[in-house]
Amino acid sequence: MSTAYSLPSGGSYTLTTEVEFAAAHRLHGYDGNCARLHGHNWRVVIEVTGQTLDEVGMVVDFKVIRAQAREIAKRLDHAYLNEVPPFDSVNPTAEHIAAYFHQALAAGFDTDAYRVSAVTVWENDRSAVTFRP
Ligand SMILES: Nc1nc2c(c(=O)[nH]1)N=C([C@H](O)[C@H](O)COP(=O)(O)OP(=O)(O)OP(=O)(O)O)CN2
Ligand SMILES: [Zn+2]
């Protein structure tokens, strides 16, 4: 069997990495126990897609993605989300949190070589929302 490897001429690479934060929230207009104050250990899974590799052989370092995501998560960590903009005026559902992370990440991160292709927010081990632009 040959061990030869040639760089693919097409295709794309999707990187996946995640950060976490702990925060409380309550859902306005929700008919159920989630209308009451409660908390989650939120997991934010970020996907970045690119077609080209740098000289090291990476689309972008996972550490770079996580550093940016941690900056965003820091504002929300150990907070009551309903008091932190934009969630003081936008219901802090997993949908809005996923879209918020995508918007904040993409603004400082997307380049010609790669972009944030999805953000998934896990509220617990069972339930998650994925936002794709
Ligand atoms: N589409 C969405 N549905 C729900 C959201 C949400 O953000 N988007 N959020 C909640 C609550 O925040 C709730 O804390 C999480 O709900 P769930 O996964 O159902 O977790 P529970 O442990 O509360 O589930 P039980 O069935 O009560 O055990 C609700 N829905
Ligand atoms: Zn909740």
Side-chain angles (χ1 to χ4, degrees), residues 4-34:
Y5 166 70
S6 56
L7 277 177
S9 57
S12 67
Y13 305 88
T14 295
L15 286 60
T16 304
T17 190
E18 68 180 72
V19 299
E20 294 177 12
F21 66 96
H25 74 161
R26 57 182 297 264
L27 299 183
H28 295 290
Y30 185 84
D31 186 16
N33 57 2
C34 299

Side-chain angles (χ1 to χ4, degrees), residues 89-125:
S89 57
V90 173
N91 223 7
T93 59
E95 284 87 337
H96 280 308
I97 293 170
Y100 169 75
F101 264 87
H102 177 270
Q103 203 172 93
L105 269 173
F109 190 79
D110 283 8
T111 68
D112 289 343
Y114 50 80
R115 65 188 181 88
V116 183
S117 47
V119 173
T120 299
V121 168
W122 287 87
E123 286 208 340
N124 52 43
D125 290 343

Side-chain angles (χ1 to χ4, degrees), residues 5 7-8 10-17 46-66 109-117:
Y5 166 70
L7 277 177
S12 67
Y13 305 88
T14 295
L15 286 60
T16 304
T17 190
I46 300 121
E47 292 181 31
V48 170
T49 300
Q51 279 81 37
T52 54
L53 304 185
D54 64 17
E55 61 284 356
V56 183
M58 298 176 178
V59 173
V60 59
D61 193 334
F62 291 129
K63 293 176 194 298
V64 171
I65 305 170
R66 276 200 306 276
F109 190 79
D110 283 8
T111 68
D112 289 343
Y114 50 80
R115 65 188 181 88
V116 183
S117 47

